[in-house]
Amino acid sequence: MDCAPIPSGSYSDFSKRLHRNIAEKHIPIGGGIDLTSRCNLKCVHCYIKDKPKNELSYDEVIRILDELAEAGCLWLLITGGEPLSRKDFKDIYIYAKKKGFIITLFTNATLITEELADTFAELPPMAVEVSLYGATPETYEKVTRIKGSHERCLQGIEMLLQRGTSVRLKSMILTLNYHELEDMMKYATDRGVEFRYDANIHGRLDHTGNTSGYRLSPEQIVALDMVDKRRIKALREFVEYSLKQNMDHEYLFHCGAGLDSFHIGSDGKLYLCIMVRERSYDLRQGSFAAGWNEFIPGVRNEKADKDYTCSKCGLFFLCGQCPGWGEVEQGDRMKPSEFLCKLAHLRAAAFEKEELWTGC
Amino acid sequence: MELGKKYEQSGDMVWRKIGDETILVPVNQEFSNINSVFTLNETAAFIWSLIDGEKTLAEIRDALVSEYEVEPDKAEQDLVMCISQFEEMQGIREAS
């Protein structure tokens, strides 16, 4: 017998060890929940449709959080919609913190108040990730379509930073704002805050509306890649990671979704991930444990059709293609997104030309 | 350390068991920024579960003796070390 509540290394070491230890145990170590599908902004590219009528009640959210903790969920992503648009957000957040979740919050920051910023200072999340849609009010509000939202976003960010809350900035780069990418990066750098961007916007998850008109072309995205050393490094790391995976192409899914992660919609539906929403388990009708143990493996273990083209593609390791994209863009999990396909081929050619594969 | 003392969990650390790992997650500190993540071995986790503001240290020691079939002196030694570390990380406080 030995008693040792011993400091066992850094957060990074701990995270790696825990993921390694639970790898074969089908424990839902990380997952996300849309607290709402409502939002105070009306972003042109948003993939969520406002469906306020089906929103989980406070009691339902609390019951689900209890079940997630019981099942072993440690890392919890709170997102939406705009989660802060729920009147009971603060109560839910405090409950989740006291339950021992390590929380990341996705928000547009426009609804941050002094009171809420104080709560985050007292009970800190691992990070508040704020979406920034432009460096100027004109551009930002062309995306959000709400006057005054840029100023409120910056005020929210400043309130968090003044209290030492861990903030990360990110942007969806669109035809409307890509000319301000550098300025957004500078804004983040000036504040000592991490910044990342994504240009791969996809349509609405429920297939209503088309946002692809705001999407940069694959050529524009590759041009952005090639002038950004950090971007190149991240892509190389993604390729190196993909190459190390023992991918069984008999199956459709190759990521961690459903193995150690999940997503829950604002109406209480449990999904394999944030994108794959055609099949769901209703947490209003059954427990999370039942959904995780009985429903999720069935979705996760779907086999790929023999003619699933991505299985045979030599660029699979570089491509962000996944069944979720197929479902959203083509209405078919096994049909690749043509946009991602073209992007992968252009990236491969650009990397080849610049000899950036060396060492991969 | 007086064995008549009672301790209670402070609420600043949340006990989580995930797979085979038992960890204490700080509520009022940002997790990834803290210097160390505290993981508990089986004995420490057992002791933690008995700290409820009601049981005395002597009772917890006796529970250890019974659970692990060790000598009372050895159980007491481990208990004292454990309590001291829990206090240091502000996970427990003396019950009033």
Side-chain angles (χ1 to χ4, degrees), chain A residues 89-99 119 123:
Chain A
F89 168 81
K90 186 177 151 187
D91 294 333
I92 292 171
Y93 176 80
I94 291 172
Y95 188 87
K97 273 296 292 183
K98 293 193 169 173
K99 206 75 198 165
T119 301
L123 302 170

Side-chain angles (χ1 to χ4, degrees), chain A residues 13 23 27 39 46 54 79 93 101 106 119 124 127 143 148 151 181 200 203 208 211 255 263 274 286 289 330 352:
Chain A
D13 292 341
I27 294 173
C39 186
C46 188
N54 295 323
T79 181
Y93 176 80
F101 291 107
F106 284 2
T119 301
V143 177
E151 189 183 351
L181 175 57
N200 295 358
T208 62
T211 58
C255 59
H263 194 80
I274 202 163
Q330 307 277 31
E352 187 76 36

Side-chain angles (χ1 to χ4, degrees), chain A residues 1-12 14-15 17-18 21-22 25 27 29 68-75 94 97-102 121-127 164-166 168, chain B residues 11 14-21 23-44 47 64-65 68 70 74-76 78-79 81-83 85-86 89:
Chain A
M1 193 186 83
D2 184 30
C3 178
I6 298 294
S8 64
S10 67
Y11 168 78
S12 162
F14 161 76
S15 172
R17 192 183 65 242
L18 188 59
N21 288 351
I22 61 116
K25 295 178 181 161
I27 294 173
I29 190 83
L68 295 183
E70 180 67 28
C73 175
L74 182 61
W75 284 278
I94 291 172
K97 273 296 292 183
K98 293 193 169 173
K99 206 75 198 165
F101 291 107
I102 300 172
E122 193 184 331
L123 302 170
M126 184 162 83
T165 299
S166 169
R168 296 180 198 144
Chain B
V14 184
W15 180 96
R16 299 291 316 273
K17 179 142 177 69
I18 293 156
D20 298 331
E21 297 259 358
I23 62 169
L24 290 175
V25 180
V27 173
N28 53 10
Q29 291 178 72
E30 199 267 283
F31 193 74
S32 61
N33 268 359
I34 60 175
N35 292 330
S36 290
V37 176
F38 292 97
T39 59
L40 306 187
N41 68 7
E42 190 189 333
T43 316
I47 293 171
L64 280 168
V65 170
Y68 295 100
V70 291
K74 169 65 178 153
E76 190 173 320
D78 279 357
L79 176 62
M81 185 177 77
C82 208
I83 292 293
Q85 286 186 298
F86 283 149
M89 67 174 81

Side-chain angles (χ1 to χ4, degrees), chain A residues 9-267:
Chain A
S10 67
Y11 168 78
S12 162
D13 292 341
F14 161 76
S15 172
K16 282 181 199 156
R17 192 183 65 242
L18 188 59
H19 278 94
R20 200 171 49 239
N21 288 351
I22 61 116
E24 306 293 327
K25 295 178 181 161
H26 191 54
I27 294 173
I29 190 83
I33 183 166
D34 299 336
L35 281 190
T36 181
S37 58
R38 288 176 287 127
C39 186
N40 58 320
L41 305 183
K42 294 178 185 168
C43 294
V44 294
H45 62 287
C46 188
Y47 61 83
I48 295 276
K49 192 180 181 187
D50 220 333
K51 284 192 293 185
K53 282 180 188 168
N54 295 323
E55 196 165 288
L56 290 167
S57 68
Y58 174 81
D59 288 344
E60 287 172 324
V61 172
I62 296 305
R63 197 243 318 152
I64 289 171
L65 292 179
D66 287 344
E67 292 181 2
L68 295 183
E70 180 67 28
C73 175
L74 182 61
W75 284 278
L76 181 68
L77 167 66
I78 295 179
T79 181
E82 171 48 54
L84 272 53
S85 60
R86 271 188 80 121
K87 286 195 174 123
D88 53 8
F89 168 81
K90 186 177 151 187
D91 294 333
I92 292 171
Y93 176 80
I94 291 172
Y95 188 87
K97 273 296 292 183
K98 293 193 169 173
K99 206 75 198 165
F101 291 107
I102 300 172
I103 297 173
T104 297
L105 172 69
F106 284 2
T107 176
N108 60 40
T110 60
L111 299 175
I112 301 269
T113 58
E114 298 281 348
E115 184 191 347
L116 208 46
D118 286 344
T119 301
F120 293 138
E122 193 184 331
L123 302 170
M126 184 162 83
V128 177
E129 291 204 358
V130 179
S131 301
L132 196 59
Y133 299 112
T136 62
E138 294 73 28
T139 298
Y140 181 100
E141 288 163 18
K142 257 187 204 167
V143 177
T144 64
R145 296 185 288 189
I146 296 291
K147 201 163 169 46
S149 55
H150 180 254
E151 189 183 351
R152 291 206 302 276
C153 170
L154 299 192
Q155 283 170 352
I157 292 169
E158 294 305 324
M159 277 189 256
L160 295 171
L161 291 176
Q162 280 162 10
R163 289 161 175 82
T165 299
S166 169
V167 174
R168 296 180 198 144
L169 297 178
K170 59 187 179 182
S171 188
M172 288 307 300
I173 295 300
L174 315 169
T175 53
L176 300 178
N177 65 9
Y178 88 108
H179 60 287
E180 291 187 1
L181 175 57
E182 259 185 58
D183 291 334
M184 285 189 267
M185 283 178 180
K186 185 174 181 314
Y187 173 82
T189 306
D190 288 349
R191 281 152 185 78
V193 170
E194 190 183 311
F195 177 86
R196 70 173 193 276
Y197 72 88
D198 189 357
N200 295 358
I201 64 165
H202 52 72
R204 278 190 175 163
L205 299 180
D206 64 357
H207 310 292
T208 62
N210 185 354
T211 58
S212 62
Y214 298 104
R215 186 158 73 192
L216 296 188
S217 68
E219 288 83 357
Q220 286 173 305
I221 295 171
V222 172
L224 287 175
D225 290 344
M226 301 314 285
V227 295
D228 186 344
K229 282 182 186 164
R230 284 185 316 168
R231 191 91 176 154
I232 290 171
K233 184 169 175 276
L235 281 165
R236 277 181 56 100
E237 283 168 359
F238 176 68
V239 168
E240 282 163 4
Y241 170 81
S242 299
L243 287 170
K244 276 185 206 158
Q245 303 306 302
N246 187 18
M247 289 185 189
D248 183 346
H249 288 291
E250 189 185 347
Y251 293 95
L252 192 56
F253 291 92
H254 299 282
C255 59
L259 294 181
D260 61 10
S261 66
F262 61 88
H263 194 80
I264 297 169
S266 61
D267 53 1

Side-chain angles (χ1 to χ4, degrees), chain A residues 311-344:
Chain A
S311 302
K312 302 170 188 79
C313 179
L315 294 181
F316 196 81
F317 61 91
L318 166 70
C319 188
Q321 196 78 247
C322 77
W325 269 84
E327 200 172 278
V328 172
E329 294 245 322
Q330 307 277 31
D332 183 344
R333 285 185 291 284
M334 295 194 210
K335 237 181 179 175
S337 151
E338 288 170 14
F339 161 75
L340 286 185
C341 206
K342 189 171 181 192
L343 181 59

